[in-house]
Amino acid sequence: MFLTRILQDFAVFGWDFVLSLTNILAPLRPVGHVVPEGHPGAGGHWPEYMPPKEGDSRCSCPGLNAMANHGILPRNGKGIPFKDLGELVRNTYNIAPSFCFFVSNFSANMLKRNYRRDTFDLAELDVHNGIEHDGSLTREDSVHVPDQGTPHRPFIEELLASATGKDKEGNTILTIADLSRYSAKRRVDARTSNPSYSLSFFHKMFASSNSSLLLTIYGGRVDDLEVVLLEERITEGWESRVRSKMGLTIAALNMTVLRVEMGIDEKQYAQSIKQI
Ligand code: HEM
């Protein structure tokens, strides 16, 4: 079983490498045509947004919750086949199939379910220290708030207010340095307020991968992130800022992940609050 998983991971990374090379050679998807024709969101037209109702299942992931709020995943967030998740995520956000398979398959293994046959509810993804971890950007730690399905507004407002960048059109954007700085703050604050705080190397990399999705899929754009992080809604007309032909690969995301994670300086942040 263990050996099968290692071999499978190698196969996925090989596949991802081929897709990354293809992205270097192939032309970008044209603006306005990132979502394939016939899929929800094509031409910037997203299915109607409806916030979750009492009893609906939501999780700590803004990207997946937004899909359920638009009916791209079941609106009640329940009974989602693992094997369908990858393709839906891929078409919605232009993420490479290798990456989508890796995360969906990882989630099935985490829940000890069968990737091909089984389903899950969104809230089930919040196994603590599975993918979900302490010191997140948009959620309080699960020790304080066991239901991770609702965004924590003060963190999100603070994160977005920390943006220092501008893109070519003059839009305010979060930069790699902004994400590193805010992640350092969240980790130090969480360690101080949570007696059972833990964040392994593996979960640090997960955390920085999620930060990097904000920088790539959303281009760090504060106006778009405000909507997706606070309301878990996709703005009409929005499309992924990733335009590569085969979508965002694991290899491409990792270039950003390493820069975010290496820039996180918890000591410096801890010192700065002592001096106040
Ligand atoms: C493919 C399946 C996916 C699964 C199984 C998944 C699962 C998760 C989980 C469990 C977390 C919580 C981690 C934490 O404790 O902070 C999370 C966080 C996050 N996810 Fe996803 N996710 C997926 C796809 C996506 C996509 C496509 C996006 C964006 C377009 C996205 C954006 C984020 C962001 C920004 C966070 C960080 C939230 C925070 O730090 O508070 N995810 N995801």
Side-chain angles (χ1 to χ4, degrees):
M1 190 69 178
F2 180 69
L3 188 65
T4 319
R5 278 197 200 156
I6 300 271
L7 289 176
Q8 195 176 49
D9 287 350
F10 267 106
V12 173
F13 295 137
W15 178 23
D16 191 78
F17 180 69
V18 173
L19 295 175
S20 303
L21 288 183
T22 312
N23 276 341
I24 294 172
L25 301 172
L28 294 176
R29 297 183 186 203
V31 173
H33 297 274
V34 172
V35 177
E37 284 308 318
H39 291 279
H45 304 303
W46 295 96
E48 189 186 353
Y49 167 80
M50 292 183 204
K53 296 194 301 291
E54 181 78 29
D56 287 350
S57 186
R58 291 294 183 269
C59 64
S60 47
C61 176
L64 297 183
N65 287 348
M67 288 174 71
N69 291 341
H70 284 273
I72 302 166
L73 290 175
R75 288 192 185 269
N76 65 5
K78 296 180 182 171
I80 303 165
F82 289 101
K83 67 172 169 38
D84 295 349
L85 177 67
E87 198 178 341
L88 292 168
V89 167
R90 176 185 163 195
N91 288 324
T92 304
Y93 295 112
N94 195 22
I95 296 180
S98 47
F99 193 171
C100 292
F101 171 78
F102 182 80
V103 186
S104 310
N105 189 47
F106 184 94
S107 306
N109 289 335
M110 174 181 85
L111 296 174
K112 300 191 172 42
R113 307 231 173 114
N114 185 291
Y115 170 81
R116 290 189 193 288
R117 287 194 302 269
D118 293 339
T119 64
F120 68 99
D121 297 348
L122 287 175
E124 291 179 304
L125 292 175
D126 291 342
V127 177
H128 184 55
N129 283 340
I131 302 176
E132 191 281 322
H133 53 78
D134 289 334
S136 303
L137 301 179
T138 72
R139 287 346 189 223
E140 288 197 90
D141 287 356
S142 59
V143 71
H144 303 306
V145 180
D147 176 358
Q148 291 279 294
T150 314
H152 186 64
R153 180 173 274 271
F155 290 168
I156 297 168
E157 286 175 348
E158 200 176 18
L159 166 70
L160 298 178
S162 75
T164 61
K166 289 275 177 212
D167 67 10
K168 281 185 204 132
E169 288 85 40
N171 300 297
T172 306
I173 55 167
L174 281 166
T175 63
I176 290 179
D178 296 335
L179 256 317
S180 299
R181 210 174 39 251
Y182 194 67
S183 301
K185 178 183 193 318
R186 282 292 304 119
R187 291 180 191 181
V188 172
D189 291 353
R191 184 181 286 116
T192 314
S193 67
N194 174 359
S196 58
Y197 176 83
S198 67
L199 196 67
S200 64
F201 171 75
F202 172 77
H203 289 103
K204 284 183 177 170
M205 296 311 281
F206 255 134
S208 288
S209 300
N210 289 327
S211 302
S212 301
L213 286 174
L214 300 180
L215 295 167
T216 50
I217 302 290
Y218 300 98
R221 282 268 300 260
V222 167
D223 51 353
D224 292 334
L225 288 172
E226 213 162 15
V227 177
V228 77
L229 296 182
L230 288 172
E231 297 173 58
E232 304 196 323
R233 175 165 73 81
I234 307 175
T235 318
E236 185 65 6
W238 181 85
E239 64 180 11
S240 174
R241 306 282 164 193
V242 172
R243 287 170 46 218
S244 48
K245 189 83 179 163
M246 309 314 291
L248 180 68
T249 58
I250 302 170
L253 186 77
N254 279 339
M255 309 289 248
T256 310
V257 174
L258 290 176
R259 294 176 66 196
V260 172
E261 188 55 41
M262 281 164 57
I264 298 178
D265 191 341
E266 290 185 45
K267 276 194 190 138
Q268 192 188 42
Y269 174 72
Q271 292 265 300
S272 73
I273 48 173
K274 269 191 204 143
Q275 285 161 9
I276 296 171

